[in-house]
């Protein structure tokens, strides 16, 4: 695993997964721990990729949680070891991101790496949720829109408009905007104020 080639977000997920494994008194860090923190990410990149690939987020989370609950626990202080499938998944992620022309391994390729491990419980959870490598690859292409990852914060450039702006057209479709019909006077007055060369305090 070439951790120095991972984005800050991927490194953060690995650290969070280690903490989750230690807090649960598990002996090994597995792909199930990594998948768990990816799907619980507040920024929702992993979850939106799964939905974009047509997968069932609920099914994947339920199966992954069931796997984590079945894991044997150990008592006392212990050194966390790494499951061999973690190294395999990240080797796949590194190779895939290199083929895509990236300088860094991003969250989407880390998720692709997990999906590539068909015999691992985390890979099986993704398969049970309707995720295939092909559907995930097309979701990645759709999200990236031709962009490549050449910085440690590459994921921050994805869906920047969704992150910092509000889609008024979508809000209007959902009926979340106040009606503007029959409010000509207010609209005229707003345009008049905005069209001024100088603004009032």
């Amino acid at each position: 695993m070439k951790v120095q080639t991972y984005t800050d977000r991927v490194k953060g997920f690995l650290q969070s997964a280690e903490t989750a494994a230690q807090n649960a008194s598990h002996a090994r860090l597995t792909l199930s721990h990594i998948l768990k923190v990816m799907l619980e990410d507040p920024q929702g990149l992993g979850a939106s990729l799964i939905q974009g690939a047509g997968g069932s987020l609920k099914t994947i989370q339920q199966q992954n949680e069931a796997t984590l609950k079945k894991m044997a626990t150990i008592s006392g202080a212990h050194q966390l070891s790494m499951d061999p499938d973690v190294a395999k998944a990240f080797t796949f992620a590194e190779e895939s991101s290199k083929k895509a022309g990236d300088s860094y391994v991003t969250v989407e390729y880390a998720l692709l790496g997990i999906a590539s491990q068909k015999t691992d419980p985390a890979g099986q959870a993704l398969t049970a949720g309707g995720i295939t490598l092909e559907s995930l690859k097309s979701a990645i292409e759709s999200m990236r829109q031709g962009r490549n990852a050449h910085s440690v914060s590459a994921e921050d450039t994805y869906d920047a408009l969704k992150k910092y702006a509000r889609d008024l057209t979508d809000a209007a479709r959902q009926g979340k905007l106040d009606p503007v019909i029959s409010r000509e006077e207010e609209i005229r007055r707003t345009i008049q104020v905005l069209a001024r060369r100088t603004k009032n305090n």
Side-chain angles (χ1 to χ4, degrees), residues 169-190:
T169 308
D170 188 51
R173 279 196 195 106
Q174 294 176 25
K176 292 180 180 176
L177 286 184
D178 289 335
V180 290
I181 297 168
S182 304
R183 297 178 73 178
E184 290 85 359
E185 188 53 44
E186 289 97 326
I187 293 167
R188 196 176 292 113
R189 180 78 181 121
T190 303

Side-chain angles (χ1 to χ4, degrees), residues 4-81:
Q4 70 275 11
T5 63
Y6 299 172
T7 61
D8 288 342
R9 190 91 66 90
V10 174
K11 287 176 189 170
F13 283 148
L14 287 172
Q15 286 172 348
S16 298
E18 281 179 25
T19 304
Q22 284 169 337
N23 289 346
S25 299
H26 293 152
R28 291 184 303 168
L29 171 68
T30 67
L31 290 176
S32 297
H33 294 108
I34 299 167
L35 183 61
K36 176 185 168 69
V37 296
M38 270 190 189
L39 299 183
E40 290 175 354
D41 175 34
Q43 294 185 13
L45 184 56
S48 63
L49 270 170
I50 284 167
Q51 287 163 344
S56 167
L57 189 60
K58 192 177 178 184
T59 303
I60 294 165
Q61 282 179 317
Q62 284 175 343
Q63 187 157 328
N64 197 52
E65 285 298 326
T67 300
L68 289 169
K69 280 177 186 169
K70 284 182 206 165
M71 279 185 191
T73 59
I74 54 173
S75 58
H78 63 281
Q79 185 70 38
L80 198 66
S81 64

